[in-house]
Amino acid sequence: LAKTTQPISMDSYEGQEVNITCSHNNIATNDYITWYQQFPSQGPRFIIQGYKTKVTNEVASLFIPADRKSSTLSLPRVSLSDTAVYYCLVGDMTSTNAGKSTFGDGTTLTVKP
Amino acid sequence: DTGVSQDPRHKITKRGQNVTFRCDPISEHNRLYWYRQTLGQGPEFLTYFQNEAQLEKSRLLSDRFSAERPKGSFSTLEIQRTEQGDSAMYLCASSSEGARETQYFGPGTRLLVL
C-alpha cells in the first residue's frame, strides 16, 4: 500500500478551521483515501473518504488535487472535543489488499480554548 | 445495530499465561480485522477474515498468536505464553466488502502483561 506522511502534531484554537495534509506520493490508480479520528482508549472512527476532487460530509471536507499525491482534511470551526489523533489511510479496498491497511502514526491535533 | 463490541475491555495477566479476546462485528459485515496498537503508534494490522476464511496474516503475528472466526460471525484472538511485549491495545474492526469499504472499529481490549 502507498506510504503516507503526516505532521506529527498540530495546535489550534476553538472556532478555527484546521487543515491536516497527508502526502501519499505512491498512490495507485485504485486507491481510495480515508481519514479516521481516534480518541484516547477508543478505536478509530471513520471521518471521510474520497477518490478525487472534493468530498464533504457533516463533519469534514476532504480535498484531493488532480495528481492525488496528497490530500487535505479540513475541519471547520473546531472545538475542544476535536482534540484527537487523525490518521490518513490510502489503499485499494476492492481486493484482498484491504487487509493490509497501514495507519502510520497519525497527527495529534490539540485544540485550545 | 450496536456496532462492533469487544470483550473484555481490559485484561491483566502474568507472563506465560494464555489469553483470549472476543470480537463481535456488525452483524451484516463479512470482513473482520484484528489490529494491535501500542502507545503513541497507529494501529498495526494483524490479520483479516472474509467470512470464516482467514485471508491475510501479518508477519507481526507470531506462532503464539491465533485467530479464528468459525462461523463467519464473531472472532477470537488467542495469545499463548504471553510476553511483556504483548502489552498493547488489541482492536477489532469489521466492514462490508465493496469498492469503498469503511472499517468500523470496536473499543479495543487493553492487555497488560506483568
Side-chain angles (χ1 to χ4, degrees):
Chain A
L1 294 182
K3 178 179 171 61
T4 60
T5 303
Q6 303 174 233
I8 294 174
S9 64
M10 294 182 69
D11 290 343
S12 182
Y13 291 93
E14 282 190 292
Q16 290 188 332
E17 179 184 73
V18 171
N19 296 308
I20 305 174
T21 296
C22 179
S23 298
H24 28 79
N25 292 319
N26 297 321
I27 190 168
T29 302
N30 291 336
D31 287 345
Y32 279 83
I33 300 157
T34 310
W35 285 81
Y36 286 85
Q37 175 192 56
Q38 186 176 29
F39 297 112
S41 299
Q42 295 186 24
R45 182 177 74 101
F46 171 83
I47 301 175
I48 198 166
Q49 184 183 71
Y51 183 80
K52 62 180 179 180
T53 63
K54 177 183 175 182
V55 179
T56 298
N57 62 21
E58 63 275 10
V59 297
S61 295
L62 179 59
F63 298 92
I64 305 168
D67 66 6
R68 304 200 326 122
K69 293 183 183 299
S70 67
S71 58
T72 299
L73 174 72
S74 181
L75 304 172
R77 299 178 298 282
V78 294
S79 64
L80 296 176
S81 62
D82 292 317
T83 294
V85 179
Y86 292 82
Y87 295 98
C88 161
L89 272 74
V90 173
D92 173 9
M93 297 304 183
T94 63
S95 73
T96 56
N97 283 330
K100 297 182 180 178
S101 299
T102 303
F103 275 78
D105 294 335
T107 298
T108 300
L109 172 65
T110 302
V111 180
K112 303 175 182 179
Chain B
D1 178 3
T2 58
V4 178
S5 62
Q6 292 186 245
D7 184 69
R9 293 292 308 277
H10 300 89
K11 178 71 176 179
I12 300 174
T13 191
K14 294 182 179 179
R15 189 175 52 186
Q17 297 294 305
N18 299 343
V19 295
T20 300
F21 308 141
R22 176 178 171 125
C23 171
D24 285 273
I26 294 172
S27 56
E28 63 267 27
H29 286 178
N30 64 337
R31 287 184 170 176
L32 186 148
Y33 304 79
W34 285 99
Y35 293 83
R36 180 175 68 187
Q37 186 174 27
T38 53
L39 199 61
Q41 307 287 319
E44 297 174 292
F45 169 76
L46 292 179
T47 190
Y48 143 65
F49 291 85
Q50 183 156 308
N51 300 311
E52 65 275 9
Q54 189 173 18
L55 297 186
E56 189 75 32
K57 289 175 65 173
S58 164
R59 284 173 290 180
L60 294 174
L61 215 64
S62 75
D63 55 6
R64 296 185 297 106
F65 288 71
S66 62
E68 295 182 344
R69 194 182 184 199
K71 298 182 179 179
S73 56
F74 73 92
S75 175
T76 58
L77 177 69
E78 181 182 18
I79 309 174
Q80 296 182 328
R81 305 181 304 281
T82 53
E83 302 173 356
Q84 288 183 325
D86 296 331
S87 295
M89 173 79 87
Y90 290 84
L91 293 162
C92 174
S94 71
S95 68
S96 292
E97 181 180 0
R100 303 191 69 176
E101 176 178 335
T102 300
Q103 295 182 28
Y104 293 85
F105 284 80
T109 294
R110 185 168 294 282
L111 172 66
L112 177 61
V113 182
L114 302 176

